[in-house]
Amino acid sequence: MKVQWTEKAQKRLQEIEAYMIAEEYTRTRASKIIFSIIQKTNGQLSEYPQSGRPGRVKNTRELFFTNSPFLVVYTARQQVVTVLSVFHTAQQYPPLEI
């Protein structure tokens, strides 16, 4: 199954990376974490699109990884998985808007 990332999801990854760097992660470490989120998400959802739990927002699903504090919000329809956003689990979710 094809996995696509919305502009908003891509922007959230950039924001997460910038935050990590501001919190004294090295640029290399922050980039590796972001790459890992992308790689794990694409790998999991391309093979098992329904593997995330039903989402708190209607018509979405939520994917967690045990070794990562991030929540991936997505939809799975026909042959396409669309990643809508990424949140740190300490953040308010669902926010007022996705």
Side-chain angles (χ1 to χ4, degrees), residues 22-70:
E23 291 296 311
E24 300 185 12
Y25 282 71
T26 64
R27 185 172 297 281
T28 301
R29 183 169 179 220
S31 294
K32 284 181 180 179
I33 291 169
I34 296 302
F35 179 76
S36 176
I37 293 169
I38 294 168
Q39 187 177 37
K40 288 177 182 179
T41 300
N42 288 347
Q44 180 76 21
L45 295 180
S46 65
E47 293 294 320
Y48 307 101
Q50 299 298 319
S51 61
R53 70 180 188 191
R56 288 170 264 186
V57 174
K58 187 176 180 177
N59 298 320
T60 66
R61 298 191 72 78
E62 300 172 4
L63 182 66
F64 291 94
F65 296 104
T66 56
N67 60 348
S68 173
F70 296 99

